[in-house]
Amino acid sequence: MPELPEVETTRAGIQPHIEQQRIQSVVIRQPKLRWPIPDDINHLQGQLVKQVTRRGKYLLLHTDIGTALIHLGMSGSLRVLSSAVEPSKHDHWDMMLTNGMCLRYRDPRRFGALLWTTEAAEQHERLVALGVEPLSEAFDGAYLYQQARRRRIPVKNFIMDSRVVVGVGNIYASESLFMARINPTKPADKLSLKRYQRLADAIKQVLQLAIEQGGTTLKDFVREDGQQGYFQVHLRVYGREGLTCFDCSQPIKKIQLGQRSSFYCSKCQRL
DNA sequence: ATTGACTCCTGATGGC
DNA sequence: TGCCATCAGGAGTCAA
């Protein structure tokens, strides 16, 4: 589920419940995630969470002595709820707070992660090589164009490369390319600066809109049933194989690019 | 240096 | 109803 908008929505959702709260204990029921949860995660015990931030699709819980890194993978989600609520099957860990609440992590596929670092978080090996934030000023057409030199991979794969730009997942890659009218198969180094300016703008717009939508449906995290699916209303190509393009009525095509499904309109996205 | 295939894991869905 | 194949929002790792 999580691409950048959902991770950001999750961050904004848990922040008011977690910041300035003290962690009483960390309860781990299933340590086997993307990487094993390290033993030193227990350093969190007794710590005050100073700040909840995001870098790419990682959530960071900052304390005085170190930072917890949380990744949601493909199927992870976080929720704040009363510690009295019984965990269910895929609830792999809890951070119990001293106020009786807990931050609970659920992840059926276990592609997510929980890590601990005492370095400056940005220097952690999982974060240090990450590309720019798509909603930052550093991300623009000129940046994309420069990064695309000598990259022959399809432009869709290129914008999904987290060393280039973080947070553009499979859904929003297709959606952004549709908005920019760019064919997803086009080799990255074959696009003009002008096209990259349009693409960078589209990525910003699509992500920003999705964050705003997420903000309305995932507002209240102090509930067991925080529902998702906020973005679906706005999808113009993703998951719409064979359905008609909203702009030109041509059927939407589905192809494989880098082992991922990609959707586009062959008439609107000529290149 | 760059790429493409493979990998981890469970659940939902659809065909028979 | 069951059984099997296919696919899913991520991204690290490896071989070529």
Side-chain angles (χ1 to χ4, degrees):
Chain A
M1 296 185 194
E3 294 194 35
L4 186 143
E6 191 181 11
V7 178
E8 176 56 28
T9 301
T10 297
R11 190 203 62 75
I14 67 171
Q15 179 178 37
H17 305 285
I18 302 300
E19 266 185 19
Q20 304 310 319
Q21 293 296 323
R22 198 169 292 280
I23 293 172
Q24 188 164 64
S25 60
V26 182
V27 177
I28 295 166
R29 285 175 289 272
Q30 169 60 275
K32 293 181 183 168
L33 302 183
R34 179 70 163 82
W35 299 280
I37 298 175
D39 291 337
D40 59 7
I41 195 69
N42 286 314
H43 290 147
L44 265 176
Q45 189 170 329
Q47 292 301 310
L48 194 69
V49 178
K50 288 285 179 67
Q51 225 188 348
V52 180
T53 64
R54 178 188 60 75
R55 175 74 175 101
K57 293 174 192 164
Y58 284 88
L59 288 169
L60 281 60
L61 308 186
H62 301 267
T63 77
D64 281 335
I65 61 162
T67 304
L69 276 60
I70 302 166
H71 198 289
L72 303 177
M74 289 275 252
S75 57
S77 59
L78 281 171
R79 199 161 305 169
V80 177
L81 67 177
S82 162
S83 357
V85 178
E86 281 297 312
S88 52
K89 191 174 177 189
H90 299 292
D91 293 340
H92 304 315
W93 56 257
D94 291 342
M95 290 181 192
M96 318 299 275
L97 307 178
T98 53
N99 67 358
M101 303 298 283
C102 91
L103 179 65
R104 180 163 289 170
Y105 178 82
R106 178 182 154 84
D107 186 4
R109 294 179 72 181
R110 290 192 271 123
F111 290 169
L114 173 60
L115 302 169
W116 174 254
T117 180
T118 54
E119 328 165 73
E122 292 284 319
Q123 297 310 308
H124 188 272
E125 59 174 337
R126 298 267 71 87
L127 305 185
V128 74
L130 291 180
V132 301
E133 288 287 332
L135 298 176
S136 71
E137 285 195 15
F139 179 70
D140 60 15
Y143 170 81
L144 273 184
Y145 179 80
Q146 171 258 316
Q147 287 290 309
R149 296 311 85 203
R150 278 173 290 285
R151 299 298 304 271
R152 289 179 241 180
I153 52 172
V155 61
K156 172 170 179 269
N157 302 31
F158 173 66
I159 60 173
M160 289 179 68
D161 183 345
S162 64
R163 292 164 307 178
V164 176
V165 54
V166 294
V168 182
N170 201 37
I171 292 176
Y172 294 114
S174 281
E175 293 297 314
S176 303
L177 287 161
F178 176 78
M179 183 182 280
R181 297 289 187 259
I182 294 168
N183 190 294
T185 65
K186 186 85 173 171
D189 64 355
K190 292 286 190 291
L191 285 168
S192 67
L193 172 60
K194 211 167 181 93
R195 304 258 181 204
Y196 274 121
Q197 284 165 346
R198 215 159 69 188
L199 181 54
D201 288 346
I203 289 170
K204 284 175 194 274
Q205 269 191 60
V206 165
L207 294 179
Q208 192 57 53
L209 176 67
I211 289 170
E212 284 159 19
Q213 297 301 307
T216 61
T217 50
L218 286 176
K219 228 182 287 182
D220 188 1
F221 273 72
V222 197
R223 283 174 38 182
E224 182 55 28
D225 64 340
Q227 275 311 306
Q228 309 178 6
Y230 52 87
F231 45 75
Q232 285 158 6
V233 204
H234 294 278
L235 297 183
R236 308 227 266 164
V237 287
Y238 186 84
R240 300 195 65 247
E241 180 191 14
L243 300 177
T244 56
C245 173
F246 291 129
D247 290 2
C248 78
S249 301
Q250 196 81 2
I252 299 298
K253 291 195 171 173
K254 175 182 179 179
I255 56 171
Q256 292 296 119
L257 287 176
Q259 294 86 239
R260 311 294 298 275
S261 291
S262 309
F263 301 85
Y264 71 106
C265 173
S266 57
K267 191 172 172 189
C268 292
Q269 296 169 264
R270 295 242 162 151
L271 288 185

PDB file of all heavy atoms in Angstrom, chain A residues 182-207:
ATOM      1  N   ILE A 182       3.948  11.467 -21.149  1.00  0.00           N
ATOM      2  CA  ILE A 182       5.192  10.823 -21.570  1.00  0.00           C
ATOM      3  C   ILE A 182       5.027   9.313 -21.575  1.00  0.00           C
ATOM      4  O   ILE A 182       4.475   8.737 -20.630  1.00  0.00           O
ATOM      5  CB  ILE A 182       6.350  11.230 -20.623  1.00  0.00           C
ATOM      6  CG1 ILE A 182       6.640  12.724 -20.783  1.00  0.00           C
ATOM      7  CG2 ILE A 182       7.601  10.396 -20.886  1.00  0.00           C
ATOM      8  CD1 ILE A 182       7.554  13.290 -19.717  1.00  0.00           C
ATOM      9  N   ASN A 183       5.512   8.663 -22.615  1.00  0.00           N
ATOM     10  CA  ASN A 183       5.435   7.213 -22.731  1.00  0.00           C
ATOM     11  C   ASN A 183       6.394   6.564 -21.741  1.00  0.00           C
ATOM     12  O   ASN A 183       7.586   6.888 -21.724  1.00  0.00           O
ATOM     13  CB  ASN A 183       5.784   6.795 -24.167  1.00  0.00           C
ATOM     14  CG  ASN A 183       5.492   5.329 -24.408  1.00  0.00           C
ATOM     15  OD1 ASN A 183       6.128   4.463 -23.814  1.00  0.00           O
ATOM     16  ND2 ASN A 183       4.531   5.042 -25.260  1.00  0.00           N
ATOM     17  N   PRO A 184       5.898   5.622 -20.920  1.00  0.00           N
ATOM     18  CA  PRO A 184       6.730   5.033 -19.854  1.00  0.00           C
ATOM     19  C   PRO A 184       7.924   4.232 -20.366  1.00  0.00           C
ATOM     20  O   PRO A 184       8.889   4.025 -19.630  1.00  0.00           O
ATOM     21  CB  PRO A 184       5.763   4.118 -19.091  1.00  0.00           C
ATOM     22  CG  PRO A 184       4.621   3.873 -20.029  1.00  0.00           C
ATOM     23  CD  PRO A 184       4.519   5.110 -20.879  1.00  0.00           C
ATOM     24  N   THR A 185       7.867   3.802 -21.631  1.00  0.00           N
ATOM     25  CA  THR A 185       8.949   2.967 -22.157  1.00  0.00           C
ATOM     26  C   THR A 185      10.122   3.786 -22.690  1.00  0.00           C
ATOM     27  O   THR A 185      11.176   3.245 -22.990  1.00  0.00           O
ATOM     28  CB  THR A 185       8.446   2.077 -23.309  1.00  0.00           C
ATOM     29  OG1 THR A 185       8.049   2.912 -24.406  1.00  0.00           O
ATOM     30  CG2 THR A 185       7.262   1.232 -22.873  1.00  0.00           C
ATOM     31  N   LYS A 186       9.953   5.073 -22.841  1.00  0.00           N
ATOM     32  CA  LYS A 186      10.992   5.929 -23.431  1.00  0.00           C
ATOM     33  C   LYS A 186      12.289   5.846 -22.618  1.00  0.00           C
ATOM     34  O   LYS A 186      12.284   6.028 -21.408  1.00  0.00           O
ATOM     35  CB  LYS A 186      10.489   7.373 -23.446  1.00  0.00           C
ATOM     36  CG  LYS A 186      11.420   8.338 -24.156  1.00  0.00           C
ATOM     37  CD  LYS A 186      11.164   8.358 -25.644  1.00  0.00           C
ATOM     38  CE  LYS A 186      11.980   9.454 -26.321  1.00  0.00           C
ATOM     39  NZ  LYS A 186      11.903   9.339 -27.793  1.00  0.00           N
ATOM     40  N   PRO A 187      13.411   5.565 -23.288  1.00  0.00           N
ATOM     41  CA  PRO A 187      14.688   5.538 -22.558  1.00  0.00           C
ATOM     42  C   PRO A 187      14.945   6.879 -21.861  1.00  0.00           C
ATOM     43  O   PRO A 187      14.739   7.937 -22.469  1.00  0.00           O
ATOM     44  CB  PRO A 187      15.722   5.279 -23.659  1.00  0.00           C
ATOM     45  CG  PRO A 187      14.956   4.595 -24.739  1.00  0.00           C
ATOM     46  CD  PRO A 187      13.566   5.186 -24.690  1.00  0.00           C
ATOM     47  N   ALA A 188      15.413   6.811 -20.623  1.00  0.00           N
ATOM     48  CA  ALA A 188      15.547   8.028 -19.812  1.00  0.00           C
ATOM     49  C   ALA A 188      16.414   9.092 -20.470  1.00  0.00           C
ATOM     50  O   ALA A 188      16.126  10.278 -20.392  1.00  0.00           O
ATOM     51  CB  ALA A 188      16.099   7.663 -18.434  1.00  0.00           C
ATOM     52  N   ASP A 189      17.491   8.662 -21.156  1.00  0.00           N
ATOM     53  CA  ASP A 189      18.411   9.654 -21.722  1.00  0.00           C
ATOM     54  C   ASP A 189      17.951  10.210 -23.075  1.00  0.00           C
ATOM     55  O   ASP A 189      18.673  10.973 -23.715  1.00  0.00           O
ATOM     56  CB  ASP A 189      19.826   9.090 -21.813  1.00  0.00           C
ATOM     57  CG  ASP A 189      19.931   7.912 -22.779  1.00  0.00           C
ATOM     58  OD1 ASP A 189      18.887   7.478 -23.309  1.00  0.00           O
ATOM     59  OD2 ASP A 189      21.047   7.417 -22.993  1.00  0.00           O
ATOM     60  N   LYS A 190      16.739   9.804 -23.488  1.00  0.00           N
ATOM     61  CA  LYS A 190      16.223  10.298 -24.764  1.00  0.00           C
ATOM     62  C   LYS A 190      15.202  11.424 -24.584  1.00  0.00           C
ATOM     63  O   LYS A 190      14.672  11.951 -25.552  1.00  0.00           O
ATOM     64  CB  LYS A 190      15.554   9.151 -25.536  1.00  0.00           C
ATOM     65  CG  LYS A 190      16.526   8.088 -26.012  1.00  0.00           C
ATOM     66  CD  LYS A 190      17.350   8.577 -27.206  1.00  0.00           C
ATOM     67  CE  LYS A 190      18.136   7.460 -27.846  1.00  0.00           C
ATOM     68  NZ  LYS A 190      19.241   6.990 -26.953  1.00  0.00           N
ATOM     69  N   LEU A 191      14.914  11.783 -23.343  1.00  0.00           N
ATOM     70  CA  LEU A 191      13.920  12.832 -23.097  1.00  0.00           C
ATOM     71  C   LEU A 191      14.587  14.187 -22.970  1.00  0.00           C
ATOM     72  O   LEU A 191      15.653  14.320 -22.376  1.00  0.00           O
ATOM     73  CB  LEU A 191      13.133  12.521 -21.818  1.00  0.00           C
ATOM     74  CG  LEU A 191      12.076  11.417 -21.921  1.00  0.00           C
ATOM     75  CD1 LEU A 191      11.595  11.015 -20.536  1.00  0.00           C
ATOM     76  CD2 LEU A 191      10.903  11.850 -22.776  1.00  0.00           C
ATOM     77  N   SER A 192      13.921  15.191 -23.518  1.00  0.00           N
ATOM     78  CA  SER A 192      14.463  16.546 -23.492  1.00  0.00           C
ATOM     79  C   SER A 192      14.302  17.174 -22.110  1.00  0.00           C
ATOM     80  O   SER A 192      13.521  16.704 -21.283  1.00  0.00           O
ATOM     81  CB  SER A 192      13.728  17.407 -24.513  1.00  0.00           C
ATOM     82  OG  SER A 192      12.387  17.576 -24.100  1.00  0.00           O
ATOM     83  N   LEU A 193      15.047  18.241 -21.891  1.00  0.00           N
ATOM     84  CA  LEU A 193      14.921  18.989 -20.637  1.00  0.00           C
ATOM     85  C   LEU A 193      13.480  19.459 -20.429  1.00  0.00           C
ATOM     86  O   LEU A 193      12.940  19.402 -19.335  1.00  0.00           O
ATOM     87  CB  LEU A 193      15.875  20.194 -20.673  1.00  0.00           C
ATOM     88  CG  LEU A 193      15.762  21.201 -19.526  1.00  0.00           C
ATOM     89  CD1 LEU A 193      16.024  20.526 -18.187  1.00  0.00           C
ATOM     90  CD2 LEU A 193      16.735  22.364 -19.737  1.00  0.00           C
ATOM     91  N   LYS A 194      12.883  19.885 -21.510  1.00  0.00           N
ATOM     92  CA  LYS A 194      11.501  20.376 -21.435  1.00  0.00           C
ATOM     93  C   LYS A 194      10.539  19.294 -20.940  1.00  0.00           C
ATOM     94  O   LYS A 194       9.669  19.537 -20.108  1.00  0.00           O
ATOM     95  CB  LYS A 194      11.065  20.881 -22.815  1.00  0.00           C
ATOM     96  CG  LYS A 194      10.075  22.023 -22.718  1.00  0.00           C
ATOM     97  CD  LYS A 194       9.916  22.715 -24.069  1.00  0.00           C
ATOM     98  CE  LYS A 194       8.949  23.879 -23.948  1.00  0.00           C
ATOM     99  NZ  LYS A 194       9.604  25.147 -23.684  1.00  0.00           N
ATOM    100  N   ARG A 195      10.704  18.082 -21.463  1.00  0.00           N
ATOM    101  CA  ARG A 195       9.851  16.968 -21.026  1.00  0.00           C
ATOM    102  C   ARG A 195      10.089  16.679 -19.545  1.00  0.00           C
ATOM    103  O   ARG A 195       9.165  16.358 -18.812  1.00  0.00           O
ATOM    104  CB  ARG A 195      10.162  15.704 -21.823  1.00  0.00           C
ATOM    105  CG  ARG A 195      10.037  15.873 -23.307  1.00  0.00           C
ATOM    106  CD  ARG A 195       8.760  15.305 -23.842  1.00  0.00           C
ATOM    107  NE  ARG A 195       8.730  15.498 -25.284  1.00  0.00           N
ATOM    108  CZ  ARG A 195       7.617  15.550 -25.997  1.00  0.00           C
ATOM    109  NH1 ARG A 195       6.462  15.425 -25.404  1.00  0.00           N
ATOM    110  NH2 ARG A 195       7.659  15.725 -27.291  1.00  0.00           N
ATOM    111  N   TYR A 196      11.352  16.754 -19.126  1.00  0.00           N
ATOM    112  CA  TYR A 196      11.648  16.487 -17.716  1.00  0.00           C
ATOM    113  C   TYR A 196      11.075  17.565 -16.809  1.00  0.00           C
ATOM    114  O   TYR A 196      10.680  17.285 -15.681  1.00  0.00           O
ATOM    115  CB  TYR A 196      13.155  16.312 -17.494  1.00  0.00           C
ATOM    116  CG  TYR A 196      13.587  14.884 -17.734  1.00  0.00           C
ATOM    117  CD1 TYR A 196      14.539  14.569 -18.694  1.00  0.00           C
ATOM    118  CD2 TYR A 196      13.023  13.837 -17.011  1.00  0.00           C
ATOM    119  CE1 TYR A 196      14.920  13.254 -18.923  1.00  0.00           C
ATOM    120  CE2 TYR A 196      13.388  12.520 -17.234  1.00  0.00           C
ATOM    121  CZ  TYR A 196      14.337  12.230 -18.194  1.00  0.00           C
ATOM    122  OH  TYR A 196      14.692  10.922 -18.414  1.00  0.00           O
ATOM    123  N   GLN A 197      11.007  18.776 -17.316  1.00  0.00           N
ATOM    124  CA  GLN A 197      10.376  19.831 -16.518  1.00  0.00           C
ATOM    125  C   GLN A 197       8.896  19.517 -16.329  1.00  0.00           C
ATOM    126  O   GLN A 197       8.350  19.653 -15.237  1.00  0.00           O
ATOM    127  CB  GLN A 197      10.579  21.197 -17.195  1.00  0.00           C
ATOM    128  CG  GLN A 197      12.010  21.700 -16.994  1.00  0.00           C
ATOM    129  CD  GLN A 197      12.398  22.847 -17.905  1.00  0.00           C
ATOM    130  OE1 GLN A 197      11.710  23.148 -18.882  1.00  0.00           O
ATOM    131  NE2 GLN A 197      13.507  23.503 -17.591  1.00  0.00           N
ATOM    132  N   ARG A 198       8.265  19.043 -17.414  1.00  0.00           N
ATOM    133  CA  ARG A 198       6.853  18.682 -17.320  1.00  0.00           C
ATOM    134  C   ARG A 198       6.661  17.492 -16.383  1.00  0.00           C
ATOM    135  O   ARG A 198       5.720  17.433 -15.597  1.00  0.00           O
ATOM    136  CB  ARG A 198       6.340  18.343 -18.720  1.00  0.00           C
ATOM    137  CG  ARG A 198       4.911  18.763 -18.937  1.00  0.00           C
ATOM    138  CD  ARG A 198       4.595  18.882 -20.403  1.00  0.00           C
ATOM    139  NE  ARG A 198       4.576  17.577 -21.063  1.00  0.00           N
ATOM    140  CZ  ARG A 198       4.480  17.413 -22.377  1.00  0.00           C
ATOM    141  NH1 ARG A 198       4.395  18.475 -23.158  1.00  0.00           N
ATOM    142  NH2 ARG A 198       4.480  16.207 -22.906  1.00  0.00           N
ATOM    143  N   LEU A 199       7.605  16.537 -16.472  1.00  0.00           N
ATOM    144  CA  LEU A 199       7.494  15.340 -15.642  1.00  0.00           C
ATOM    145  C   LEU A 199       7.686  15.670 -14.158  1.00  0.00           C
ATOM    146  O   LEU A 199       6.937  15.190 -13.307  1.00  0.00           O
ATOM    147  CB  LEU A 199       8.522  14.294 -16.098  1.00  0.00           C
ATOM    148  CG  LEU A 199       8.520  12.957 -15.342  1.00  0.00           C
ATOM    149  CD1 LEU A 199       7.122  12.327 -15.327  1.00  0.00           C
ATOM    150  CD2 LEU A 199       9.529  11.994 -15.965  1.00  0.00           C
ATOM    151  N   ALA A 200       8.677  16.477 -13.860  1.00  0.00           N
ATOM    152  CA  ALA A 200       8.919  16.857 -12.460  1.00  0.00           C
ATOM    153  C   ALA A 200       7.689  17.570 -11.895  1.00  0.00           C
ATOM    154  O   ALA A 200       7.260  17.294 -10.766  1.00  0.00           O
ATOM    155  CB  ALA A 200      10.158  17.749 -12.355  1.00  0.00           C
ATOM    156  N   ASP A 201       7.113  18.458 -12.667  1.00  0.00           N
ATOM    157  CA  ASP A 201       5.903  19.156 -12.225  1.00  0.00           C
ATOM    158  C   ASP A 201       4.758  18.170 -11.968  1.00  0.00           C
ATOM    159  O   ASP A 201       4.032  18.292 -10.983  1.00  0.00           O
ATOM    160  CB  ASP A 201       5.456  20.187 -13.271  1.00  0.00           C
ATOM    161  CG  ASP A 201       6.384  21.395 -13.313  1.00  0.00           C
ATOM    162  OD1 ASP A 201       7.198  21.545 -12.376  1.00  0.00           O
ATOM    163  OD2 ASP A 201       6.303  22.172 -14.288  1.00  0.00           O
ATOM    164  N   ALA A 202       4.621  17.209 -12.881  1.00  0.00           N
ATOM    165  CA  ALA A 202       3.541  16.224 -12.743  1.00  0.00           C
ATOM    166  C   ALA A 202       3.728  15.385 -11.484  1.00  0.00           C
ATOM    167  O   ALA A 202       2.774  15.136 -10.742  1.00  0.00           O
ATOM    168  CB  ALA A 202       3.495  15.326 -13.981  1.00  0.00           C
ATOM    169  N   ILE A 203       4.965  14.955 -11.232  1.00  0.00           N
ATOM    170  CA  ILE A 203       5.240  14.147 -10.040  1.00  0.00           C
ATOM    171  C   ILE A 203       4.870  14.933  -8.778  1.00  0.00           C
ATOM    172  O   ILE A 203       4.207  14.422  -7.875  1.00  0.00           O
ATOM    173  CB  ILE A 203       6.722  13.714 -10.009  1.00  0.00           C
ATOM    174  CG1 ILE A 203       6.982  12.657 -11.095  1.00  0.00           C
ATOM    175  CG2 ILE A 203       7.105  13.173  -8.635  1.00  0.00           C
ATOM    176  CD1 ILE A 203       8.450  12.316 -11.318  1.00  0.00           C
ATOM    177  N   LYS A 204       5.282  16.178  -8.739  1.00  0.00           N
ATOM    178  CA  LYS A 204       4.952  17.016  -7.572  1.00  0.00           C
ATOM    179  C   LYS A 204       3.443  17.149  -7.399  1.00  0.00           C
ATOM    180  O   LYS A 204       2.922  17.009  -6.294  1.00  0.00           O
ATOM    181  CB  LYS A 204       5.566  18.414  -7.732  1.00  0.00           C
ATOM    182  CG  LYS A 204       7.066  18.470  -7.464  1.00  0.00           C
ATOM    183  CD  LYS A 204       7.609  19.858  -7.764  1.00  0.00           C
ATOM    184  CE  LYS A 204       9.127  19.893  -7.846  1.00  0.00           C
ATOM    185  NZ  LYS A 204       9.777  20.080  -6.539  1.00  0.00           N
ATOM    186  N   GLN A 205       2.760  17.406  -8.492  1.00  0.00           N
ATOM    187  CA  GLN A 205       1.305  17.598  -8.419  1.00  0.00           C
ATOM    188  C   GLN A 205       0.586  16.350  -7.955  1.00  0.00           C
ATOM    189  O   GLN A 205      -0.286  16.403  -7.095  1.00  0.00           O
ATOM    190  CB  GLN A 205       0.773  17.960  -9.809  1.00  0.00           C
ATOM    191  CG  GLN A 205       0.724  19.443 -10.090  1.00  0.00           C
ATOM    192  CD  GLN A 205      -0.064  19.703 -11.371  1.00  0.00           C
ATOM    193  OE1 GLN A 205      -1.246  19.366 -11.476  1.00  0.00           O
ATOM    194  NE2 GLN A 205       0.610  20.274 -12.344  1.00  0.00           N
ATOM    195  N   VAL A 206       0.960  15.212  -8.568  1.00  0.00           N
ATOM    196  CA  VAL A 206       0.290  13.951  -8.243  1.00  0.00           C
ATOM    197  C   VAL A 206       0.522  13.581  -6.777  1.00  0.00           C
ATOM    198  O   VAL A 206      -0.417  13.217  -6.056  1.00  0.00           O
ATOM    199  CB  VAL A 206       0.797  12.833  -9.182  1.00  0.00           C
ATOM    200  CG1 VAL A 206       0.419  11.464  -8.666  1.00  0.00           C
ATOM    201  CG2 VAL A 206       0.253  13.031 -10.592  1.00  0.00           C
ATOM    202  N   LEU A 207       1.760  13.699  -6.324  1.00  0.00           N
ATOM    203  CA  LEU A 207       2.062  13.347  -4.932  1.00  0.00           C
ATOM    204  C   LEU A 207       1.376  14.297  -3.958  1.00  0.00           C
ATOM    205  O   LEU A 207       0.829  13.878  -2.941  1.00  0.00           O
ATOM    206  CB  LEU A 207       3.575  13.344  -4.697  1.00  0.00           C
ATOM    207  CG  LEU A 207       4.367  12.266  -5.447  1.00  0.00           C
ATOM    208  CD1 LEU A 207       5.853  12.396  -5.150  1.00  0.00           C
ATOM    209  CD2 LEU A 207       3.880  10.868  -5.082  1.00  0.00           C
TER     210      LEU A 207
END
